[in-house]
Amino acid sequence: MQTTVEIEETKEQGEKQARVLPAPLAALNRVSWNYWWSWSPDGVAVFRDLDPAVWEECEHNPRKLLEKISEFRLMQMAIDPVYTRRVAKLAAKFDDYVNPKSESWAKNAVKELTPANPVAYFCAEYGIHNSLPLYSGGLGMLAGDHLKSASDLGLPLVAIGLLYRYGYFRQRLTRDGWQEEHYGEFAPSELSMRPVLDEAGAHVTVEVFMRGRNVRASAWRVDVGRVPLYLLDTNIPENDPTDCWVTGHLYGGDRETRIVQEMMLGLGGVRLLRRLGYEPQVFHLNEGHSALLTLELARELVEEQGVGFAEAARRVRERCVFTTHTPVAAGNDEFDPALLDQCLGETYWQSLGLTREEFLSIGRVRPDEATEFFGMTPLAIKMSRSTNGVSRKHGEVSQELWRELWPESMTAAAVPITYVTNGVHAPTWVAPNLRALYTERIGKNWMQKLHDPKRWAKGIGRISDEELWQAHRLLKQRLVAFIRQRSTHAREKRGESAAYVESAGVMFDPESLIVGFARRVAGYKRWSLLLADTERLSRLINDAERPVQFVFAGKAHPQDQGAKLVLQQLARWKLDPSVMRRAVFLEDYDQEMARQLVQSVDVWMNVPRRPLEASGTSGQKVAMNGGLNFSVLDGWWLEGYDGTNGWAIGDTTAHEPVETPGVVTPEDMKDAESLYRVLEEEIVPAFYERDETGLPRRWVRMMKRSLETLAPAFSSDRMVQEYAQRIYLDERQ
Ligand SMILES: *Cc1c(COP(=O)(O)O)cnc(C)c1O
């Protein structure tokens, strides 16, 4: 396989460009090229401590840090024996990680998957680290955590994605609370990614014919531990200027941009894997955006081996597995046939040995329904041997939703759509001081113990109430400092009055209850439900003895005016002098902010309209840090909640679908009533109930129940193990 050669060469080129570091710090260069640093115990701190101010300025990007740091500071640190010892330790750990001495989980558990025949994982977005802005929300975060767990478990997996030159937008609110989007351009040379080079040292490219012309994309490689993530980038001089924008923005364009992006991801992605010599055993389509890859695999068989399409499709199906993330038909990607004519064109269906009608029918639920659009989900389902949802409930919803794809006689329950409930990557999301506590009480191998719920629970039992509470209090103090700092900056930037800027410095009290709510501002997430009864909410916030504090964050889709109005309503409400000190909206939600919030809040709230939260993962991150979930029984929480480890809002009946965002229906009011009641009668009293030493004994017991029951079940290690054993390896064999 030529991949080995190619990797060595890219390494050389990368290091040639890099600044030469003083010998005791030289290893930092090597470590900075692999995002492993971002989840290794001292990784973040080693880079940050090199120069905290520059670290912030560079938005936690170690490649930039190493370029920008002053020569003097570098030398100061190079002669600091305590610091250089940390660097040496980190580098040794890194080398052990990438070339492990002991056998990995996957080596024994899934022998059939090998480096030459790995899993090829396709996704339109990846949330690896906040310095790599290739994600918009949950889907990307999940993909990032999937790669990290695959790496930790030694699962042979290569990932394919797109390099969006302008990434996802940065959010800013105007003085009257209206969301503005800003796109920053980033240069690959500033990030931990390297060009993929061929034997002759030239940048590897692939070509896809779209919109009547050939479009080239160059390939970049990002190392996520032991997993390579390859990104395709059309921003190269050989392309027509329009085509340079194919990989411009993540979800920023129109339908046409979307289809050409999906062509590059699916068709270009398979071509790149071939170019690099990979023969994947399984292709994992994480959401429908990459579904065209199945047709590329079929084309290879039809064009290169002379196989008929039906037989080709049968063979492709044996190698593809599909994960759906959307619980409503409207949320699925679908395209107008006229657009397909224009972007794919007739040479495309001809290359599959199909007529236009035959081709279009593959993407339809009802093959003969000429008015039906071409859907990526029907395509993916038809061309994969396995389809799964991302929680038990979502699996059931998907069976119902896609039932028509199977014979009429089949009941929804018999539809062969299964589920693998999402999970999150503990080393990425658990706060450093809690990691230290877990190491001390549960053991150095606390992450492995997550695989064994009994041993994990035993370990949690060894943590004293006092030390857990103390660690959590420190995290709350950090959160309050973070809120004050972010708010001060945001207010200054908006040119607010001096008094208002200054007031940010005294907002929030770390000893009082803090409730967090952060996620995309989308209709079904029901942000408006929070403000359903602002008077009652104000009473909770303004209680002199037992106040409740709220921290909000989230982005609205650039084209979603309704969601922006909801944001504005919230932004205006929090300006009410009576709530200003205890409620805040933090701008520009990203992975770093998510970390600050999920590691520190007392309570995490989620109020989706049932059953539209396919899974949700942010509450899982909270649970791993000892926070308590307070959510609608939907997605993962329906599986996680057991009556002792958090709270439920409302019941489990399905809501009527609602088209208009921001509308509060009578059903919503019922849930709002439940929300306020549980807050008033259960959460607030439990939090403020203290024993003679000032400890909220009952609360801490719940924190431990939450840690004990939820952390193992909702870790991405468990998720990836399930994918490997149940989905990647064909269960039926
Ligand atoms: C975890 C995470 C999400 C997922 O949020 P849910 O509302 O739980 O789906 C979205 N965005 C960021 C930045 C995250 O870290």
Side-chain angles (χ1 to χ4, degrees), residues 135-139 141 424 429 518-520 524-525 589-591 594-595 604 606 613 615-619 621:
Y135 63 91
S136 79
L139 179 68
M141 285 301 149
V424 295
W429 297 107
R519 51 190 39 86
R520 251 177 331 116
Y524 80 89
K525 301 260 191 190
Y589 189 47
D590 70 355
Q591 192 186 19
R595 236 192 304 275
W604 190 252
N606 191 16
E613 186 78 306
S615 167
T617 52
S618 46
K621 301 167 193 167

Side-chain angles (χ1 to χ4, degrees), residues 121 138-143 145-146 284 286 323-326 388-394 419-425 613-621 624 635-637 639-640 710-720 722-723:
Y121 184 92
L139 179 68
M141 285 301 149
L142 183 80
D145 283 3
H146 194 108
H284 185 174
N286 193 43
T323 301
T324 171
H325 290 263
T326 334
N388 70 278
V390 291
S391 69
R392 187 178 64 220
K393 179 75 189 165
H394 180 236
Y419 71 93
V420 176
T421 304
N422 285 344
V424 295
H425 187 240
E613 186 78 306
S615 167
T617 52
S618 46
Q620 302 172 344
K621 301 167 193 167
M624 285 188 175
W636 81 278
W637 190 229
E639 288 163 56
L710 304 173
F714 299 101
S715 95
S716 54
D717 278 6
R718 187 273 309 147
M719 170 181 79
V720 170
E722 253 192 80
Y723 272 107

Side-chain angles (χ1 to χ4, degrees), residues 638-692:
L638 192 56
E639 288 163 56
Y641 175 66
D642 73 356
T644 69
N645 57 3
W647 297 273
I649 297 171
D651 54 27
T652 55
T653 53
H655 288 112
E656 286 297 319
V658 173
E659 299 300 328
T660 348
V663 170
V664 180
T665 68
E667 279 185 321
D668 292 340
M669 283 312 293
K670 246 175 71 188
D671 283 355
E673 169 59 33
S674 164
L675 184 154
Y676 292 125
R677 192 196 58 74
V678 177
L679 263 175
E680 290 160 354
E681 295 175 11
E682 298 181 39
I683 297 179
V684 171
F687 180 84
Y688 287 102
E689 178 189 307
R690 304 295 163 113
D691 71 2
E692 56 290 350

Side-chain angles (χ1 to χ4, degrees), residues 435-639:
R435 284 175 78 137
L437 184 58
Y438 297 165
T439 303
E440 201 175 314
R441 294 289 176 247
I442 303 174
K444 255 195 164 123
N445 58 344
W446 65 270
M447 289 183 288
Q448 273 76 49
K449 289 198 179 154
L450 273 175
H451 303 177
D452 183 345
K454 278 213 188 89
R455 288 175 69 206
W456 171 259
K458 226 185 210 165
I460 294 295
R462 285 196 290 271
I463 300 176
S464 77
D465 291 358
E466 285 74 13
E467 61 192 357
L468 182 58
W469 185 243
Q470 187 51 26
H472 178 64
R473 277 183 62 210
L474 280 171
L475 287 166
K476 287 179 71 180
Q477 289 170 21
R478 184 192 59 166
L479 175 63
V480 169
F482 177 78
I483 291 172
R484 290 174 179 173
Q485 191 179 33
R486 279 291 178 104
S487 305
T488 304
H489 283 308
R491 290 174 190 188
E492 277 170 355
K493 244 189 183 150
R494 282 197 299 264
E496 307 269 14
S497 72
Y500 186 52
V501 173
E502 208 168 301
S503 69
V506 295
M507 66 201 300
F508 276 68
D509 167 15
E511 299 304 326
S512 302
L513 178 63
I514 302 182
V515 178
F517 184 89
R519 51 190 39 86
R520 251 177 331 116
V521 187
Y524 80 89
K525 301 260 191 190
R526 294 198 294 184
W527 279 64
S528 46
L529 192 133
L530 303 175
L531 300 181
D533 188 345
T534 43
E535 258 175 50
R536 201 161 167 191
L537 202 52
S538 296
R539 270 202 303 281
L540 279 165
I541 291 174
N542 289 308
D543 191 295
E545 309 277 284
R546 307 184 305 175
V548 184
Q549 306 173 99
F550 289 95
V551 46
F552 304 104
K555 293 174 174 177
H557 189 280
Q559 269 110 47
D560 190 344
Q561 302 301 311
K564 289 190 189 178
L565 276 170
V566 171
L567 256 190
Q568 188 172 40
Q569 192 192 355
L570 184 82
R572 286 189 176 152
W573 170 76
K574 71 151 202 326
L575 286 178
D576 183 329
S578 71
V579 300
M580 214 159 78
R581 279 185 49 213
R582 291 178 181 150
V584 70
F585 179 87
L586 297 175
E587 283 173 26
D588 202 30
Y589 189 47
D590 70 355
Q591 192 186 19
E592 175 56 19
M593 189 185 293
R595 236 192 304 275
Q596 300 287 338
L597 298 184
V598 301
Q599 292 174 351
S600 321
V601 295
D602 297 300
V603 171
W604 190 252
M605 195 163 67
N606 191 16
V607 292
R609 187 167 279 129
R610 286 181 302 272
L612 302 185
E613 186 78 306
S615 167
T617 52
S618 46
Q620 302 172 344
K621 301 167 193 167
V622 171
M624 285 188 175
N625 286 286
L628 297 175
N629 278 274
F630 170 44
S631 296
V632 161
L633 290 169
D634 195 14
W636 81 278
W637 190 229
L638 192 56
E639 288 163 56

Side-chain angles (χ1 to χ4, degrees), residues 115-385:
N117 302 111
V119 176
Y121 184 92
F122 281 67
C123 192
E125 52 170 302
Y126 289 93
I128 309 289
H129 183 255
N130 38 290
S131 64
L132 189 62
L134 302 176
Y135 63 91
S136 79
L139 179 68
M141 285 301 149
L142 183 80
D145 283 3
H146 194 108
L147 303 196
K148 292 172 186 173
S149 273
S151 170
D152 290 348
L153 294 167
L155 185 73
L157 184 144
V158 293
I160 300 285
L162 299 177
L163 177 59
Y164 305 99
R165 217 29 103 90
Y166 299 90
Y168 196 56
F169 73 89
R170 307 285 300 260
Q171 176 192 53
R172 247 182 261 158
L173 294 193
T174 63
R175 283 173 80 159
D176 70 343
W178 191 252
Q179 172 178 300
E180 282 184 347
E181 297 92 30
H182 296 265
Y183 288 90
E185 179 174 1
F186 73 85
S189 62
E190 288 181 341
L191 281 157
S192 309
M193 61 172 71
R194 290 187 266 224
V196 180
L197 304 181
D198 66 15
E199 310 73 40
H203 202 160
V204 166
T205 59
V206 295
E207 200 169 72
V208 176
F209 187 75
M210 48 174 80
R211 294 190 284 208
R213 45 189 190 267
N214 279 319
V215 177
R216 265 180 192 286
S218 58
W220 297 84
R221 173 178 166 130
V222 172
D223 284 296
V224 185
R226 290 181 271 178
V227 166
L229 163 60
Y230 293 102
L231 300 169
L232 290 171
D233 173 15
T234 65
N235 188 15
I236 52 176
E238 294 96 300
N239 283 335
D240 182 294
T242 322
D243 298 329
C244 293
W245 290 90
V246 171
T247 56
H249 302 89
L250 171 61
Y251 308 143
D254 52 12
R255 301 308 298 164
E256 182 178 326
T257 308
R258 189 67 166 261
I259 183 80
V260 290
Q261 286 186 339
E262 295 189 3
M263 287 176 72
M264 191 45 84
L265 178 64
L267 314 183
V270 171
R271 286 172 201 178
L272 179 67
L273 287 170
R274 298 303 186 217
R275 179 76 179 72
L276 300 180
Y278 288 108
E279 278 295 336
Q281 176 142 331
V282 183
F283 291 83
H284 185 174
L285 290 65
N286 193 43
E287 189 50 312
H289 308 117
S290 59
L292 292 172
L293 83 86
T294 60
L295 297 177
E296 173 65 9
L297 295 175
R299 189 201 58 80
E300 291 178 338
L301 293 168
V302 173
E303 277 203 330
E304 291 159 23
Q305 298 186 31
V307 177
F309 182 79
E311 171 60 16
R314 195 189 62 76
R315 290 199 213 164
V316 168
R317 222 170 278 130
E318 281 171 4
R319 280 180 291 159
C320 294
V321 300
F322 170 51
T323 301
T324 171
H325 290 263
T326 334
V328 285
N332 288 278
D333 240 351
E334 46 177 26
F335 298 102
D336 186 339
L339 202 54
L340 297 179
D341 287 337
Q342 186 194 328
C343 299
L344 282 162
E346 67 179 352
T347 50
Y348 189 72
W349 24 97
Q350 279 165 4
S351 71
L352 293 167
L354 299 175
T355 65
R356 180 176 184 272
E357 270 316 297
E358 283 168 341
F359 173 78
L360 291 176
S361 71
I362 312 174
R364 291 186 183 131
V365 176
R366 299 183 189 133
D368 304 326
E369 185 72 53
T371 54
E372 196 181 312
F373 276 20
F374 185 93
M376 298 309 256
T377 305
L379 171 67
I381 291 176
K382 289 182 193 180
M383 296 296 284
S384 301
R385 71 166 147 79

Side-chain angles (χ1 to χ4, degrees), residues 44-168:
V44 174
V46 161
F47 284 113
R48 186 192 60 215
D49 295 349
L50 195 55
D51 191 327
V54 179
W55 180 244
E56 285 309 314
E57 213 177 286
C58 298
E59 302 192 301
H60 306 182
N61 171 353
R63 294 296 323 144
K64 246 187 185 165
L65 169 77
L66 295 178
E67 287 302 314
K68 289 216 160 153
I69 185 173
S70 78
E71 201 62 39
F72 180 56
R73 175 72 187 176
L74 205 53
M75 290 319 302
Q76 264 184 327
M77 296 307 274
I79 60 154
D80 178 334
V82 176
Y83 184 72
T84 53
R85 219 169 299 136
R86 282 170 65 199
V87 171
K89 200 170 154 201
L90 184 70
K93 273 200 175 146
F94 174 62
D95 296 335
D96 278 351
Y97 183 89
V98 284
N99 292 307
K101 289 184 195 77
S102 55
E103 290 209 335
S104 64
W105 172 84
K107 185 102 189 191
N108 289 313
V110 283
K111 293 189 186 67
E112 299 82 345
L113 299 165
T114 62
N117 302 111
V119 176
Y121 184 92
F122 281 67
C123 192
E125 52 170 302
Y126 289 93
I128 309 289
H129 183 255
N130 38 290
S131 64
L132 189 62
L134 302 176
Y135 63 91
S136 79
L139 179 68
M141 285 301 149
L142 183 80
D145 283 3
H146 194 108
L147 303 196
K148 292 172 186 173
S149 273
S151 170
D152 290 348
L153 294 167
L155 185 73
L157 184 144
V158 293
I160 300 285
L162 299 177
L163 177 59
Y164 305 99
R165 217 29 103 90
Y166 299 90
Y168 196 56

